[in-house]
Amino acid sequence: EAAVTQSPRNKVAVTGGKVTLSCNQTNNHNNMYWYRQDTGHGLRLIHYSYGAGSTEKGDIPDGYKASRPSQENFSLILELATPSQTSVYFCASGDMGAPLFGEGTRLSVL
Amino acid sequence: SQWGEENLQALSIQEGEDVTMNCSYKTYTTVVHWYRQDSGRGPALIILIRSNEREKRSGRLRATLDTSSQSSSLSITAAQCEDTAVYFCATDEYKLTFGTGTSLLVDP
């Protein structure tokens, strides 16, 4: 069964700390995405990837890095976390048609 | 309707009623996706309509697309309590751009 798995599901971080959010997909999709969701803004695209080794900037990339070491894995990295990055983060994978979303990671930066 | 910097829309209806949610988009697209998101879960695709379809049906769902006005709608017939969710439209074949969403509450 197609799946996108995110870890951790919940994370509390300190301001200035480094945070890594992980995503794994078993769908053999080339494209993977990271979104953040905040009340009143819907989902906004941070970074995406067309395949292993590639990362592209989305609409709100500032303060975030991405890494795609393999077809299955796509990470979102906050090198210096700030309280404004408190949000729910969703990973998705998909090629033709609609991406499949993970269950989300709730990040709080204190 | 949803898009851009608009606040999350909220609708409240009774079970059995019909409801329509609207979406307007800013850039050219050949496809509009409609997702639903249940509380605490990730978005899930419920219907996808392409520019050559104008109307698409799936069970109690009906989506329309008007490329000339850059708008789409999602209708639910005879809404049920389990239809309570947030509904998003999204455009672009690959790099989805989401609207702000419509929160639908269906009361028994």
Side-chain angles (χ1 to χ4, degrees):
Chain A
E1 184 176 318
V4 177
T5 304
Q6 295 182 229
S7 63
R9 293 294 314 278
N10 293 280
K11 173 75 176 178
V12 178
V14 296
T15 298
K18 181 177 181 178
V19 177
T20 300
L21 306 183
S22 299
C23 179
N24 175 273
Q25 55 109 352
T26 59
N27 314 314
N28 199 31
H29 288 151
N30 290 316
N31 301 333
M32 295 187 73
Y33 311 85
W34 276 106
Y35 288 85
R36 66 177 282 176
Q37 183 174 34
D38 304 286
T39 302
H41 288 279
L43 288 95
R44 294 180 290 175
L45 182 64
I46 307 170
H47 284 289
Y48 59 103
S49 168
Y50 291 125
S54 101
T55 60
E56 306 290 336
K57 293 181 179 179
D59 299 322
I60 53 164
D62 292 346
Y64 303 93
K65 289 174 55 179
S67 174
R68 182 86 182 269
S70 65
Q71 178 82 339
E72 297 79 19
N73 295 295
F74 189 37
S75 297
L76 185 68
I77 302 154
L78 291 67
E79 295 277 6
L80 295 170
T82 68
S84 65
Q85 294 175 311
T86 292
S87 187
V88 181
Y89 293 84
F90 287 98
C91 175
S93 77
D95 293 334
M96 296 297 293
L100 182 66
F101 282 81
E103 294 299 303
T105 295
R106 185 173 296 275
L107 174 66
S108 296
V109 183
L110 306 178
Chain B
S1 63
Q2 60 175 287
W3 208 260
E5 300 302 316
E6 296 174 39
N7 292 328
L8 177 69
Q9 302 276 304
L11 295 174
S12 181
I13 62 172
Q14 297 297 310
E15 198 170 37
E17 293 182 354
D18 299 341
V19 62
T20 296
M21 291 165 271
N22 297 302
C23 162
S24 58
Y25 53 91
K26 296 178 180 178
T27 58
Y28 173 79
T29 189
T30 60
V31 61
V32 173
H33 309 245
W34 282 93
Y35 281 79
R36 69 171 280 167
Q37 185 177 26
D38 296 303
S39 181
R41 306 292 300 276
L45 179 73
I46 53 175
I47 196 165
L48 180 156
I49 182 166
R50 298 189 182 278
S51 57
N52 62 349
E53 295 181 298
R54 290 192 64 84
E55 177 181 299
K56 184 88 168 278
R57 292 179 184 266
S58 177
R60 295 183 293 107
L61 304 178
R62 173 178 173 262
T64 66
L65 177 58
D66 184 344
T67 54
S68 63
S69 64
Q70 295 188 301
S71 64
S72 177
S73 71
L74 175 71
S75 298
I76 303 175
T77 302
Q80 306 296 308
C81 290
E82 54 264 32
D83 295 325
T84 293
V86 178
Y87 292 83
F88 294 97
C89 66
T91 59
D92 200 319
E93 186 82 29
Y94 302 102
K95 185 172 65 72
L96 291 180
T97 300
F98 282 82
T100 50
T102 298
S103 177
L104 176 65
L105 174 63
V106 183
D107 286 319

